[in-house]
Amino acid sequence: MNQDKQTILTDKWGRQMDYLRIAVTDRCNLRCFYCMPAEGIQYLPKKELMSYEEILRVTQNLAELGVKKIRITGGEPFLRKDLMQLLRKITEIDGITSLNLTTNGVLTYPHLKELKEIGIDHINLSLDSLDKQNFFAITRRDEYNKVMQTLDGLLDHGIKTKINMVVMNGRNEHEIQAMAKLTKNKNISVRFIEEMPFNGSDDQNAKIFSAQDILDELKHHYPALQKIAQEPNSPSTAYQIPDYAGSLGIIAAYTRSFCGTCNRIRLTATGSIKNCLYDEGVLDVKGILRTGISDEALKETFIQTVQRKEVNGFVAEINRQKNTQITESMSTIGG
Ligand code: SAM
């Protein structure tokens, strides 16, 4: 293949994909009500998950097409056995310059030293409440102390940390101020995210606490809030409270105002490639790997798949809804 590596994975709208998010499992040890029903979802039998060899092969081939950044997510990634071995192998792939992880923090603390050693770039810690009781009400699990231990450990190990808080009407919007205050002395980024319709059912929250609502709430408590430069391709609009050590971000994940700069594709726990969080999966990569496709043909398939990426998440969602009204759980997609 003699195309320029920089431009191979380009969609028909001119966007270049250099970021792959990999859900390594669909299992989770929390039951956040906005993500999964209380009884959980129908987990895949183990052989239906992508093996580590398959994940590495996909990553290697996509790296050869210009993917540079990887995020490992799930389900809860640390529920998958030998995760650290997979992470190490990913760092050895030529062309991968940034390895990141999204975790709920329950099982993460014992791995922090090794994560630092292998050069993890950023860890995103999902944390929707700083109040132990409210944490339990949202996650339906009593794991608050372990998550807070992980947060402290991340800072002690000097690992770049982002806290992701999904803001939900009537559940935790009253904690926005307290979350923002975490950035006073801690050099972390706290990002407030709109709830999205991915809870594994057809019963969705009718009233979203929007990005604008979040901004209004922040400005109410911190009138001096300043907009700051945001990272390239980031879905997050960045802010800072003057003289605070860390920064804030608002992610309009439901309003979808950032599709124009999208640079990401996803590999779900079920082994399908998604061009968009809101599409229904555009390539059964597990299936084609298991029928013995060559690396050359695999790369060609990836190139063609990316070209089919929809212009934005609204179009992708309309197409998906032609087939089903039931949303996947975010635990399968990986967020
Ligand atoms: N278990 C890991 C964790 O909790 O970070 C990784 C997987 S989890 C599905 C990834 C992110 O998706 C979490 O931050 C979670 O809060 C977010 N998420 C799940 N369902 C969501 C929804 N319906 N709307 C917005 N964010 C959601």
Side-chain angles (χ1 to χ4, degrees):
M1 197 158 312
N2 47 15
Q3 283 155 294
D4 174 7
K5 204 171 160 179
Q6 297 301 312
T7 57
I8 296 175
L9 283 180
T10 303
D11 70 11
K12 58 179 179 287
W13 316 98
R15 294 171 300 195
Q16 217 176 294
M17 304 304 131
D18 59 7
Y19 177 14
L20 170 67
R21 299 171 64 100
I22 304 172
V24 291
T25 178
D26 54 351
R27 284 156 212 260
C28 195
N29 43 3
L30 299 181
R31 284 289 175 280
C32 303
F33 75 91
Y34 57 86
C35 183
M36 261 199 213
E39 66 280 10
I41 53 172
Q42 183 80 46
Y43 288 138
L44 289 176
K46 221 164 157 209
K47 65 174 184 351
E48 293 300 322
L49 286 178
M50 294 278 282
S51 68
Y52 282 169
E53 289 70 26
E54 288 167 335
I55 290 175
L56 287 166
R57 190 169 166 213
V58 168
T59 309
Q60 169 78 48
N61 278 278
L62 285 170
E64 287 170 23
L65 295 173
V67 164
K68 300 180 186 66
K69 175 175 173 181
I70 303 291
R71 173 170 303 283
I72 299 297
T73 174
E76 174 48 37
F78 285 101
L79 287 175
R80 180 104 189 233
K81 203 165 157 253
D82 299 327
L83 180 75
M84 292 306 303
Q85 286 179 23
L86 174 73
L87 299 189
R88 272 187 193 276
K89 290 206 168 116
I90 289 176
T91 63
E92 287 159 12
I93 294 177
D94 249 10
I96 299 299
T97 54
S98 172
L99 176 62
N100 304 269
L101 179 74
T102 297
T103 175
N104 61 29
V106 176
L107 301 171
T108 318
Y109 182 79
H111 302 285
L112 292 180
K113 187 164 173 279
E114 198 179 348
L115 285 165
K116 179 78 184 173
E117 269 166 28
I118 66 167
I120 196 89
D121 197 352
H122 268 95
I123 292 191
N124 289 4
L125 180 67
S126 304
L127 178 62
D128 300 327
S129 175
L130 292 170
D131 173 274
K132 195 171 175 177
Q133 277 183 351
N134 201 25
F135 178 94
F136 181 80
I138 291 169
T139 65
R140 304 173 175 128
R141 294 290 184 272
D142 185 13
E143 301 285 15
Y144 177 82
N145 292 347
K146 286 192 198 145
V147 179
M148 295 314 282
Q149 183 190 34
T150 293
L151 175 56
D152 290 340
L154 284 164
L155 297 169
D156 292 346
H157 284 81
I159 296 175
K160 287 184 256 170
T161 302
K162 294 178 181 171
I163 292 181
N164 285 341
M165 173 193 186
V166 179
V167 183
M168 293 152 288
N169 225 354
R171 303 298 290 249
N172 64 352
E173 77 272 33
H174 60 284
E175 294 198 50
I176 288 177
Q177 182 189 11
M179 276 287 181
K181 205 171 161 199
L182 283 180
T183 64
K184 185 168 187 179
N185 302 312
K186 298 183 195 342
N187 184 12
I188 54 176
S189 165
V190 172
R191 304 180 326 157
F192 303 97
I193 304 178
E194 285 177 343
E195 183 181 350
M196 290 176 270
F198 293 107
N199 63 8
S201 80
D202 59 359
D203 182 17
Q204 302 297 334
N205 186 358
K207 171 87 180 73
I208 298 292
F209 200 84
S210 71
Q212 186 59 48
D213 295 334
I214 296 167
L215 182 58
D216 291 347
E217 178 73 6
L218 282 171
K219 282 190 170 158
H220 172 70
H221 295 289
Y222 302 102
L225 188 74
Q226 287 172 350
K227 201 165 178 181
I228 57 172
Q230 68 192 65
E231 292 165 29
N233 301 105
S234 171
S236 170
T237 310
Y239 297 88
Q240 192 165 35
I241 303 167
D243 301 324
Y244 276 36
S247 63
L248 304 174
I250 300 178
I251 302 185
Y254 182 67
T255 317
R256 282 161 269 184
S257 46
F258 46 71
C259 301
T261 56
C262 184
N263 65 338
R264 52 189 70 187
I265 54 176
R266 293 175 162 81
L267 176 60
T268 69
T270 51
S272 95
I273 294 280
K274 270 180 179 273
N275 273 331
C276 172
L277 189 57
Y278 286 87
D279 72 34
E280 62 176 334
V282 287
L283 175 70
D284 172 17
V285 70
K286 183 180 69 194
I288 59 172
L289 287 178
R290 292 183 187 182
T291 51
I293 191 170
S294 70
D295 281 345
E296 273 313 289
L298 184 61
K299 280 198 270 280
E300 196 49 49
T301 308
F302 286 146
I303 292 169
Q304 286 168 16
T305 300
V306 163
Q307 280 167 4
R308 297 204 312 271
K309 188 171 170 107
E310 299 293 359
V311 65
N312 59 39
F314 294 102
V315 179
E317 186 178 27
I318 289 166
N319 287 344
R320 188 193 76 217
Q321 286 175 342
K322 285 177 191 154
N323 295 327
T324 176
Q325 286 298 316
I326 309 251
T327 70
E328 276 170 290
S329 162
M330 196 70 96
S331 199
T332 313
I333 311 171

